[in-house]
Structures are given as structure tokens and as C-alpha cells.
């Protein structure tokens, strides 16, 4: 219904690519917290960063189900950090380049991002604001032909090793969320500094806290219209939340598959543990939850691909899929007994990595309030024009 033979062929080739080019390096990257630059260019050479980008700048302009496959297969190699680094570049930073960047920005930043020669990050969350985007304190003050940026951001994926930053800042603080704008900042601009954060999971990715101390950028680095930053961010949140929903169902599905494989190999009391009713019923419930999430997420992907604004549905996807992924991975780990607690088995890392799901990209508590406004108060969110 959702995937064609071409999709299936892409899935196989991408899975093979990951096994050959990425998996041999995962343990090193998990230990060092640094992903070697060569892999970004390999992704670029294969066109993986251009799946949903315009052909004019080197992209492939494919439907969103190629993106779903990209996300699902990244989860199967069991490094939430590596997966996050890839999709944060391709679907957070590059989405703003694609939607709000002018031709110069697209030629100088989007095209090399598609090639994997430049790495981007998206800087929205702040140390004092968390999920409260409208409460942003970072400012961008116009000074002649320049803007001067001051403030800080935190929990930024690719925040340390990226080449450029897409930064949200207040250009008119008195207007609250209506006074926000989006800017492009080069990493080597004077006054930009970053600190690497030490995380529970997602160990392979570099998550940073970034400071902007009188950072001067040309006015041409304003992306889109001044004062339109908030609606730009909000309309892209639908894709980000759906991405995190897809990631969740994919890692949960992999956890179930691994648990089933383990149960078929493990024996207790003279028989394989997949013959014990309590464990079989646990797997049945886990598989049912995952399948429900997956089918819902596919249907929302189709609607988004058709141009429908799915902010409510994408919020629901992230809210429930990430919660269910945590529950399923918790239960899958239990099925392995003591081995589930060992770092030599994949469930320990998956357990840690999955916990970020209900936090990143808008906490579950924030999503509940957004959904409540739409369901109870009949509030309507519309895309930026």
C-alpha cells in the first residue's frame, strides 16, 4: 500500500550500505562520541542526504517514504546517536535551508550539505527555556548591514562538529513569538563557541551547548522574512515529530525481532523459552503495539507527502510512538533476563537511546498540551505562508 518495488530495492541497498560502511565503525563512534567525517561524504555520494531535496541543488526529490526507509534502517544498526546525527543534518538543518534559504544560501550551503561536505545543526532550544520556544532569550540586533547575535542554545545535535548553524533568535523581543527570526551562522564566525555535553544515551552523536557572544553576521544571512521565525519552526515541527515517531516504531520493531530471535535460541527447564505462555503473550502484546504505531505513522506520512498539514497527527505520533517504544524495549530487555543488562547485548544501548524519545523535539508534556488545545479548544495551527 505504501511501498513500491523501487522502495523495497532502496531499502535493501541502504541496509547493505549501512552494514558495509557504518556498522564496522559504530563501537568506536559510540566510545569517542565523534563520527568520522568520511561517512558524511559517503552518505552524500550515495544521495542519501538528498532524498527529499530539490534536483536543482543536487537532490533526488523523492517521496517521503524513502525518508521513512532511511529512518527505519538507521534504527536497525542500534546507534541512536549516529542515526540522530544523520537525520538532524538532513531533516532539521537542511529543511530550513530548503524552505527559507534564498538561492545563494542554497548554492553555498544546501548543495554541499546534500553532498555531505558541509554538516549542519538546528539551534532552537535554550538552557532556560527547554520546550518553551516562545520564551527564547537569544537576540539578533540589526546593526547597519549586519545582525549581532547574543545568547545561548543547548541540547543541539551536531552542535560541536557541524560547519554551520541554523539559529533562531529574537529580532523584536517585545513581540514575543512574533518577534523571532531564523539565521544562518558559519561555525568559524568570531564569538561562536560550543561545549560538548555528556549524555545518558545517543553516545555517538555530538550534542552541544552553544554560546553566541556578539556574533556579527551579514544581513543576507537572515533566512526568509524577519519576524517569521516562529511559524517557520512550527510548520517544520510536524516533520520532526513524525520523524521521531517513525524512529520510535522502528527501534521498537527491531527490539521485538531481537527478543524473538533470542527466545528461539535460549533454553530453560528443558525447552526453548519461546514455548512459555507468559513470554509468548508478552511478545504478542509488544508486536501489536508496534504494528499499531507503524501503520498510523505510515498513514500520516502519506498525508504529509500529499501536502496536508499534519501538526496534530504528527504530535500524536511522537507522543504515543515514543512512549510505546520505551515500554516495548523495557519488556524486550526483560525477556533476555540478565543478558539484557549486559553491554555486549544490544538491548542495553537501545534502552538508553530510546529514553530520549519522549524528551527531544518537544517533551511529551508539551505535546499533550498542544494536542489538548487542538482537540478540546479547537485551536487550528496553519503553515507559514
Amino acid at each position: 500500500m505504501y511501498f513500491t518495488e523501487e522502495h523495497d530495492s532502496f531499502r535493501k541497498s541502504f541496509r547493505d550500505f549501512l552494514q558495509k560502511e557504518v556498522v564496522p565503525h559504530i563501537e568506536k563512534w559510540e566510545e569517542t562520541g565523534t563520527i568520522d567525517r568520511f561517512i558524511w561524504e559517503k552518505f552524500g555520494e550515495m544521495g542519501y542526504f538528498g532524498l527529499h531535496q530539490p534536483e536543482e541543488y543536487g537532490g533526488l526529490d523523492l517521496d517521503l517514504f524513502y525518508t521513512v526507509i532511511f529512518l527505519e534502517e538507521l534504527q536497525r544498526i542500534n546507534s541512536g546517536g549516529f542515526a540522530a546525527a544523520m537525520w538532524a543534518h538532513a531533516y532539521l538543518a537542511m529543511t530550513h535551508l530548503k524552505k527559507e534559504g534564498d538561492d545563494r544560501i542554497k548554492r553555498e550551503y544546501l548543495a554541499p550539505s546534500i553532498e555531505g561536505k558541509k554538516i549542519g545543526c538546528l539551534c532552537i532550544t535554550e538552557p532556560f527555556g527547554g520546550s518553551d520556544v516562545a520564551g527564547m532569550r537569544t537576540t539578533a540586533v540589526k546593526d547597519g548591514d549586519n545582525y549581532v547575535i547574543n545568547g545561548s542554545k543547548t541540547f543541539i545535535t551536531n552542535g560541536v562538529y557541524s560547519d554551520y548553524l541554523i539559529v533562531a533568535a529574537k529580532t523584536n523581543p517585545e513581540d514575543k513569538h512574533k518577534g523571532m527570526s531564523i539565521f544562518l551562522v558559519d561555525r568559524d564566525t568570531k564569538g561562536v563557541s560550543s561545549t560538548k555535553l555528556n549524555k545518558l544515551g545517543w553516545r555517538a552523536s555530538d550534542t552541544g551547548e552553544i554560546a553566541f557572544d556578539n556574533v556579527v553576521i551579514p544581513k543576507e544571512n537572515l533566512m526568509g522574512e524577519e519576524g517569521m521565525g516562529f511559524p517557520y519552526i512550527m510548520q517544520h515541527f510536524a516533520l520532526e515529530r513524525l520523524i521521531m515517531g517513525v524512529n520510535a516504531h522502528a527501534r521498537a520493531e527491531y527490539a521485538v525481532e531481537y527478543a524473538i530471535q533470542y527466545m528461539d535460541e535460549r533454553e530453560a527447564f528443558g525447552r526453548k523459552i519461546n514455548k512459555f505462555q507468559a513470554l509468548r503473550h508478552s511478545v504478542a502484546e509488544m508486536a501489536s503495539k508496534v504494528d499499531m504505531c507503524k501503520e498510523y505513522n505510515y498513514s500520516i506520512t502519506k498525508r504529509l507527502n500529499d501536502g496536508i498539514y499534519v501538526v496534530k497527527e504528527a504530535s500524536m505520533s511522537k507522543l504515543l510512538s515514543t512512549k510505546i517504544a520505551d515500554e516495548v524495549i523495557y519488556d524486550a530487555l526483560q525477556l533476555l533476563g540478565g543478558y539484557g543488562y549486559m553491554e555486549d547485548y544490544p538491548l542495553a544501548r537501545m534502552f538508553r537511546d530510546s529514553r530520549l524519545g519522549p524528551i527531544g523535539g518537544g517533551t511529551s508534556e508539551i505535546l499533550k498540551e498542544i494536542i489538548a488545545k487542538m482537540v478540546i479548544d479547537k485551536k487550528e495551527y496553519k503553515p507559514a505562508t
Side-chain angles (χ1 to χ4, degrees):
M1 181 178 178
Y2 299 111
F3 298 100
T4 64
E5 288 185 13
E6 288 78 10
H7 287 121
D8 294 339
S9 177
F10 171 72
R11 184 185 295 277
K12 183 181 184 306
S13 65
F14 186 47
R15 184 176 293 185
D16 291 344
F17 170 86
L18 291 174
Q19 289 299 320
K20 179 183 177 183
E21 303 291 351
V22 177
V23 170
H25 307 284
I26 286 295
E27 296 307 318
K28 173 190 170 186
W29 296 337
E30 284 281 329
E31 290 176 11
T32 64
T34 306
I35 299 168
D36 292 324
R37 293 285 301 213
F38 77 84
I39 198 62
W40 299 86
E41 293 202 22
K42 282 187 178 288
F43 267 66
E45 289 167 9
M46 296 298 292
Y48 296 140
F49 289 141
L51 299 176
H52 199 53
Q53 296 293 340
E55 294 181 18
E56 183 181 356
Y57 300 99
L60 300 172
D61 199 21
L62 297 169
D63 66 68
L64 270 175
F65 283 97
Y66 285 92
T67 292
V68 168
I69 294 168
F70 177 82
L71 298 169
E72 288 179 333
E73 293 304 315
L74 279 171
Q75 292 299 311
R76 296 183 67 87
I77 63 173
N78 198 26
S79 174
F82 178 80
M86 298 299 115
W87 63 256
H89 167 65
Y91 293 102
L92 299 189
M94 287 171 60
T95 292
H96 282 275
L97 292 180
K98 172 185 176 182
K99 295 292 188 179
E100 287 102 55
D102 58 20
D103 181 63
R104 176 190 69 86
I105 286 175
K106 288 176 179 174
R107 281 186 288 103
E108 294 181 10
Y109 293 90
L110 182 60
S113 293
I114 291 170
E115 295 172 344
K117 293 178 179 176
K118 282 190 176 181
I119 303 169
C121 68
L122 177 61
C123 304
I124 297 176
T125 304
E126 298 191 353
F128 300 102
S131 295
D132 181 11
V133 177
M136 189 174 293
R137 299 183 183 184
T138 298
T139 59
V141 178
K142 203 162 189 178
D143 182 16
D145 290 334
N146 301 309
Y147 284 93
V148 181
I149 301 178
N150 282 285
S152 60
K153 304 290 180 178
T154 196
F155 309 141
I156 309 303
T157 302
N158 298 336
V160 180
Y161 301 125
S162 55
D163 302 300
Y164 65 88
L165 307 87
I166 307 298
V167 181
K170 291 284 186 71
T171 41
N172 189 353
E174 292 76 27
D175 281 349
K176 298 184 179 178
H177 65 275
K178 293 182 180 179
M180 192 183 301
S181 303
I182 301 288
F183 299 90
L184 188 148
V185 180
D186 276 306
R187 167 71 57 180
D188 58 5
T189 306
K190 184 180 178 182
V192 177
S193 61
S194 60
T195 303
K196 197 170 187 176
L197 300 174
N198 189 17
K199 310 184 295 291
L200 170 68
W202 281 21
R203 302 293 296 182
S205 65
D206 59 296
T207 302
E209 184 160 301
I210 303 172
F212 302 92
D213 182 11
N214 289 319
V215 174
V216 179
I217 61 170
K219 65 180 182 182
E220 291 78 18
N221 281 24
L222 168 70
M223 294 175 59
E225 297 179 34
E226 186 174 289
M228 286 292 289
F230 191 77
Y232 291 152
I233 292 167
M234 289 299 108
Q235 75 175 11
H236 300 327
F237 268 162
L239 176 59
E240 179 182 356
R241 288 167 183 163
L242 181 58
I243 283 171
M244 296 195 74
V246 170
N247 287 338
H249 85 232
R251 65 177 169 268
E253 184 173 52
Y254 176 68
V256 173
E257 289 177 11
Y258 186 85
I260 291 172
Q261 175 190 325
Y262 177 86
M263 290 168 67
D264 187 52
E265 297 169 353
R266 181 74 170 171
E267 290 190 4
F269 306 104
R271 57 177 173 160
K272 291 182 177 180
I273 65 172
N274 64 6
K275 300 302 181 185
F276 289 91
Q277 186 183 63
L279 305 188
R280 292 167 65 85
H281 288 189
S282 179
V283 170
E285 187 168 340
M286 291 156 59
S288 299
K289 289 178 179 178
V290 172
D291 220 45
M292 291 283 284
C293 287
K294 185 165 71 167
E295 285 299 319
Y296 181 78
N297 291 342
Y298 287 171
S299 72
I300 302 311
T301 299
K302 185 178 187 308
R303 294 181 67 184
L304 184 59
N305 191 66
D306 290 343
I308 299 170
Y309 194 49
V310 293
V311 63
K312 179 182 76 173
E313 295 84 352
S315 298
M316 290 174 169
S317 164
K318 181 185 181 303
L319 175 67
L320 287 186
S321 296
T322 57
K323 178 185 179 184
I324 287 171
D326 274 5
E327 293 172 352
V328 166
I329 292 168
Y330 181 97
D331 290 341
L333 189 153
Q334 182 71 20
L335 292 174
L336 270 67
Y339 290 109
Y341 206 63
M342 297 296 109
E343 291 290 344
D344 292 337
Y345 287 73
L347 269 300
R349 179 187 300 161
M350 201 181 303
F351 182 73
R352 292 195 307 274
D353 286 353
S354 183
R355 193 60 190 85
L356 190 278
I359 298 172
T363 65
S364 293
E365 290 75 18
I366 293 294
L367 293 183
K368 288 175 185 177
E369 184 57 27
I370 290 170
I371 294 166
K373 286 179 180 177
M374 288 184 277
V375 172
I376 299 172
D377 304 332
K378 309 302 180 186
K379 181 176 177 62
E380 292 186 8
Y381 292 94
K382 296 181 180 180
T385 54

